[in-house]
């Protein structure tokens, strides 16, 4: 069974603070993704990675950094969190061998106060 | 840029009703098209995909046909059940399908 796990599942952060969202996949997929989900906007791509050591900008990368230290792990980093980054964040993995079927984690709900 | 448009933000039906959720796309090339479903408290799940014109994708009674002429991939189901209540996302993938772009989602509520 494909598995993508995210941590933390829930987080309250203060404005200006640093937040790290972590993602681990056991699918051995090359590609990993971070999306945010907001009402009216659906799922928007923040950053993605083709493999360990690589990160690419998605559609809305401003205010976010990403890190892919290994095949299994992909982190999303908010260096200076702002209330506009309050959202639900989803990590996913996939690759062309899976027909790019994306396997999503259960989401991380972030509230920035 | 490449994008997907879902016109219905919310759809409310009764059990055994016919479902249509509209999805239109805009792409510079020849994308693959996908439908994903998200149940409350979970991440989105792959439903099915189609990769070429006139190809039909289907799963769990849902189906959609890739129509290059009208740039559409509308989701249909003949008889919905309460358990189908969820958010449905249309998505497209370009190049090696390495990146998927999602629509804004359609929340389906089915009353018993």
């Amino acid at each position: 069974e494909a598995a993508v796990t995210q941590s933390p599942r829930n987080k309250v952060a203060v404005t200006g603070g640093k937040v790290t969202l972590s993602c681990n996949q056991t699918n051995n997929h090359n590609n990993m993704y971070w999306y945010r989900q907001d009402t009216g906007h659906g799922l928007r791509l923040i950053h993605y990675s083709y493999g360990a050591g690589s990160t690419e900008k998605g559609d809305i990368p401003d205010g976010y950094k990403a890190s892919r230290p290994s095949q299994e792990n992909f982190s999303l980093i908010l260096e200076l969190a702002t209330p506009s980054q309050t959202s639900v964040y989803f990590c996913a993995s996939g690759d062309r061998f899976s027909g790019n079927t994306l396997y999503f984690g259960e989401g991380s709900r972030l509230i920035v106060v | 840029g490449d994008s997907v448009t879902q016109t219905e933000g919310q759809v409310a039906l009764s059990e055994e009703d016919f479902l249509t959720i509209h999805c239109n796309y805009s792409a510079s090339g020849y994308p693959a098209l996908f439908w994903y479903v998200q149940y409350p408290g979970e991440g989105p799940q792959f439903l099915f995909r189609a990769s070429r014109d006139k190809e039909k994708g289907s799963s769990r009674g849902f189906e959609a046909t890739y129509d290059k002429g009208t740039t559409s991939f509308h989701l249909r189901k003949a008889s919905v059940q309460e358990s189908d209540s969820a958010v449905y996302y249309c998505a497209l993938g370009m190049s090696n399908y390495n990146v998927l772009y999602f629509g804004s989602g359609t929340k389906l509520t089915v009353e018993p």
Side-chain angles (χ1 to χ4, degrees), chain A residues 1-6 23-32 68 70-74 91-95 103:
Chain A
E1 179 79 21
V4 178
T5 55
Q6 298 180 225
C23 178
N24 175 274
Q25 57 110 351
T26 58
N27 306 320
N28 199 32
H29 288 153
N30 290 327
N31 303 337
M32 296 186 73
R68 182 87 182 270
S70 65
Q71 177 84 341
E72 297 80 19
N73 295 294
F74 190 40
C91 177
S93 74
D95 60 27
Y103 294 88

Side-chain angles (χ1 to χ4, degrees), chain A residues 91-106:
Chain A
C91 177
S93 74
D95 60 27
R96 62 186 181 92
F97 299 107
S98 67
N100 212 45
T101 295
L102 295 191
Y103 294 88
F104 283 84
E106 294 188 328

